[in-house]
Each structure stands twice: as structure tokens, then as C-alpha cells.
Amino acid sequence: MGITYWYACAVQLLLLFSVYVIYFRCTLLSGLVPQKPLLEKPPANRLVIFSVDGLNVKSFFEHRCRNVPHLKQIFLHQGLVGISRARVTNRCDTFTTLFSGCHKDVLAAVHRTPIDTIFNRSDRSHTWCSAELMENFQRDNTKEIVLDEWTFRAVKSHILLSSNQMQNLTGQVFFIQLQGLNLLNLYRTYPQQLNYTQHAIWETYNIFERAFQDQRTAYLLTSRHVGSPGDSKASTNGEVQMPFVIWGAGVANSSTQPGRSFMVTEEGQRLPLHVLDAKQLVSVMSGLLGLPPPMHNRGQLPAGLLNTSIHEAHATYLNALQFVNLAQAALGRHQRGLLTKLLPSHKLTDVNIHEFISTADSLWHQQRYITLTEYCSSFMPKLLQLTDYYVHYYRQALLWASGWAFLGWVQQLRGTRAGSQSLLNLMFEALVRLVLFLSIIFVLLQRVPWLVSGILLLPTLLWSYKDAFHEEHLISYRQLIVFMLFSICCFAGFFFRRFIGLIYFGFACYHNRIAFAQRSPSCVIWFLLLCALTALSWLPPALGYWQGHWLLGSLFITAVRPFICSTQQQIKRRFCILNGLVLLLAGLHVIFSSQACLLQLIARAFACYVFFPRQRLEGAKQLLFDLCTLYALLSTSYEPLVIQLLAMELQLQLRLNQDIGTGINRKSTLAISVVISNNNSNQPEQATRKYKV
């Protein structure tokens, strides 16, 4: 009995599922409890956070901070200036890292795991933010704001009306999101909008100072990543840099400090430049308010940012206790198994953790604040290493299991000769069954999570599957090696997206190598399109980033591509007008607004038209045009451009093959078959007989 279709699908899904378990499984720990503050009077009663979307490091620091003159007057006399670094995959990740102190899972929308933030730790919060952030950070007083002018007007009105009731309250957070730099308009350029925003922030700061004259308000100005990782002086690993300024109550004021610095005046005055991880800012905010950090926080409080030793010791101590909670949760989840003592373990044990807690508690009660700060700061990295060690404890085993499972599947595809039952084969089958039995005993006694257990058992299950093939179905070793090399290349392309473009370039050139001898204009155009497709893979990732100029170009290419590449049957005029009007409306929306609300509404309405059940007499060309238009409406950057260039490249490749007379191989992909039916829509019967999908 051979491998059935459903068995093959199940194995492929399991192999794909192993990738999810290894790289996309939720790593947030459960069972955490927030710490309790130990001080009655915090450094600041309230914290005001200004988040300026689109403010990058270059715009802030160039020409000795000439672009932000009013803000420069603030940090020349008080506060600290620095750069925060963050790894992001979409625009909301910056805020998740800033307010929770941990990186957001790639599939957080699927996991639906709540993340603790500083808003949950605060006594009361007031936020003015966009609609996309309201669901994640909605607390007490949350208002949706779009234009900066409305934001500043709403903040001023709220402070003037409610300041008397908030005078004696502590633990308050005011979050103000400003999107003006990210909104394209015809009235202000980027420098003009930046000048307006920084002046309005300065005016809002003065409003807070006049409303709360107790000098117990702290301020934080930061930015949000809104472009691709290539923006804001991003590094090659997708890391972005964003400026921040922190001043007010509880903040240290140091005009001279060893280390990095930047020039701030024409006379050559320099100020210290603090370089932090974005995760560390939430620890600073919690320390200023005297609150415990969020439960999932992974950011260590940097030294020297708080003005008094007792406040810095208190914030560092709470930060260390929160790290202890993380470490104990990860260690406790691992130690629930019965075979824990037989497995490798981290050098930091429960005894060391309890000794640290006892020593730190003694130092706190002895009021040895400087010693406590140094002691906690030196021990916290070890706690983070312990947490990461046990959170990803089975990752190496999962990688090996996934690799052996893939080899087992390849061996099944190669097949075995019917009736081959040698002594070596019998010994191998017995060994596989023994490993399977021991693996089942291990995952049960160790209480391994069921997702991890399934992947650990997958290779032995595949290798123990007995299947017999006839000799004519055997795959040669040369074909097996080629298949494995191709699989390794595809696996490498999963981590290095540029590698995918190089693989496609090599495959297309090899498959169409006969066309190079023609030296025709079509061959040159096809080769240029192939080079353009390869070059697109070297651009920074665009998924989740709003890039209006790329999107405009993609919409234009989507509109004109069917007419440029059409050689035989034209699309009906009414469908051309409909798609053209939809793309034009989307283009106007991109020009005058960077918010995707209306664009999503247009896409949903057009999707109802495309997928409405009806008899289609227009052919595959019109359907492909509709689907490309819909895909362009759902995109945020150059994604539609890739689809259009790929369609044009496949069409030209088909035309070259027809001119040469080589035809199309029966193993052509579905994408090529769709393009074939698109080019031969005027001869549907002939195309159906010749090219069956």
C-alpha cells in the first residue's frame, strides 16, 4: 500500500506545524503576580508621555537640534536625552515594547494572550491615541484622536477642567500620541510640521506646569517607528533607533557624564547621550511613579536616571523582584516533571534565588541604598538568562526532531523495494520502536507541553511507518540529493528573504536558458523584469509598514499592467472603468491620508463585488485583474508591485517558450497555468485541451 493523498497532506501539515512550535509559540509566562511598592511618596505623582510618530534620530539631532528649538530649551537646563533601540515587525510593536517591556509575539493576534502594561499598574490613566491602539491600551479615560490640532485642544480642555480633582492623586499616566509627522498633507512640509509639533509640546508642557504647581510631574518624549526597518537609521538586523527626552520630577540632571555625548549649541556645548533598549524605558517610567514594573517586563532599569539614591534603589529592587518572579515561573514550569534532576540545568538554582531575595531585603531594611542598587543590577542579568534558558529549553531538541522528521518523510518518498526484509532493516525497525517507546515515557513523566511533545514524537512516528513501493516508484539517490538541496535552500530562504530572490533568479535563468540564444527584445525585457524581482527581495520588509510612495506606484502598475501586457483579447470597458475608479479613489486616499480606515472600507466593498456568486463570462483575465486590484487595496507598501512584476515575467517567459517551440512542461505551477489561461482567453477550448491545471 503506497502513501495516500491524505497521509501526505497530514505529514506536510505536521512539518509546517513544527515551524510554528519552534519559532512562533507563545513564550509569555503565566501565573505572574505584580510586586507591591515599598515607598509611600513616589518621585512623581504623574507622568506625561508624548509620542511623536515619525520623529527619527536624524531629524531630532541634525544641525545641533535646530529643528526642535523649544524642546532644546528644556533639555539644556533639565532632563536627559538619549536614543532607544527596538526590534519591530509592525507599527504597534514599538508601543508594546515601550509600555510592557517585552517584545510582542509574531502571532500575538492568534494567541490572544494579554500583556501587562504600565497602564495596568497605574492608579489612573488618560490617553489620547489612534484607533489601532485603543484596543490594546484602553484604560480609564481613552479618546480617539486623529489630527494633532484636535489632540492638543482636547488635552488642554481636559487639564483645565479636571486639574483640581487630580491635584493629590498619585500614579497617573497621561499618554498623548501625535501623528502629524506621519500624515501627508498639502499645507505643511515635514520641517514645518515638526516645528509645529515641538512648539505645541512645549505649550502643553507649560499648561501642565501651570495646572500642577507642586513640581511633581515627570515628562517623557519619545517616538514611534512608522516606516520600514530601513528608516530612522535602522541597523541591518531590523533594529530601529528613536530619540527620547525625559525631564521633570525625579529625573537626574547631569550636564557632564563620561561616555557618549552630542553637541547641542553653536558654542560647542555637549550633553550626555544615553543609549538604551526600548524595553528599559518602562522600568524608568515605573520608577518615576513609584510603581512596580509590568509583570512581563524584560527591561533592566539603567543606572543614573533617577535623582535620588532611595528612589533609584526602590525602583531597582522592585525591578529585580519582578525578574525573580519571571525566573521562578519559568523554573517552576520546568521542575514539575519527574525527570528534572536527570536533565541539564542552569547554574543558577532556587537556593541562589532565595539567597538573593534575603540579602536584598536585608540591604533595603538597613537603608544601604547604593549597595542595594549595585547588588540588584549585577544579579538581574543572571535572572534573565535563567528565564530565557527554561522558556526555550526544548528548542534545540525541537530543531533536531524537525530535521529527523523531514529526513524520515524524504525516505518515505524515496520508497523501499517490496519484500525487502533484511536483518539490518529488522534491527533498525526495532531500534526506532524502542526510541518511540522511550520518548513517550519521557514526555509523560517530564510533563512536557503537548505541542512540544507532538513534535518530539513526530520523527519516530514517521520512521516507524512501514510502507512498500514497487521498484519502478523508487527515487534515485541523485534525485534525492537534488530534492534535499532544494529543500535546504527553501529553508534558508525562510530566515533570509534575500536568498529567496536569488533562488528564483537562478531557477528562472536555468529553466529559460534556451531563450538567451535568441537575443530578442522580449528576452531582454524578461531578463530586466527578473532582475527587478530579485532586487525587490533586497528591500527592507514591507509587511505592516505604511509606505505611501511605494503604494502609489503599486496602484499605478496594477491599473496599467493588464493593458501593457495584453496582446489579444481586451478587457471590457465597464470593468476597466470600475477597477480604474477604485484604484484612483485608493490613490487619492493614500495621498491625503495615511490612515487605512477608508482604504479598508473600499477593500471590503470591492471584495463583496469580486466574490459575489454569479456566472462569470469575462474569463480568467478579468478575474485576475479584479483579484490584483483587491490585493492592492489590502496592501500597505510595494507588495502589489511584486505580484504585477511576477505576472509580467511569467507572461514573457511563456511567450518566449512559445516562440522557441519548447512549450510548457506538465509540471508547471498553478501560477503559470493561470497566466497561460490568461494569455489564451480567446481560445478557451484549445487552452483547456492543451494545458490542464
Side-chain angles (χ1 to χ4, degrees), residues 128 143 145 147-161 176 178 188 196 200 203-204 207:
W128 292 266
K143 297 181 180 179
I145 299 296
L147 298 179
D148 287 358
E149 291 82 355
W150 300 354
T151 303
F152 290 118
R153 193 180 304 121
V155 172
K156 180 179 179 180
S157 176
H158 179 71
I159 296 302
L160 294 179
L161 293 176
I176 305 171
L178 305 172
R188 292 177 184 157
Y196 167 79
E203 289 183 341
T204 307
I207 291 174

Side-chain angles (χ1 to χ4, degrees), residues 29 52 76 120 174 186 255 284 310 369 403 443 462 486 496 656:
L29 296 171
V52 185
L76 272 176
N120 300 333
F174 298 84
L186 303 178
S255 58
V284 178
I310 181 175
Y369 300 126
V443 298
L462 290 178
F486 181 75
F496 308 100
L656 289 173

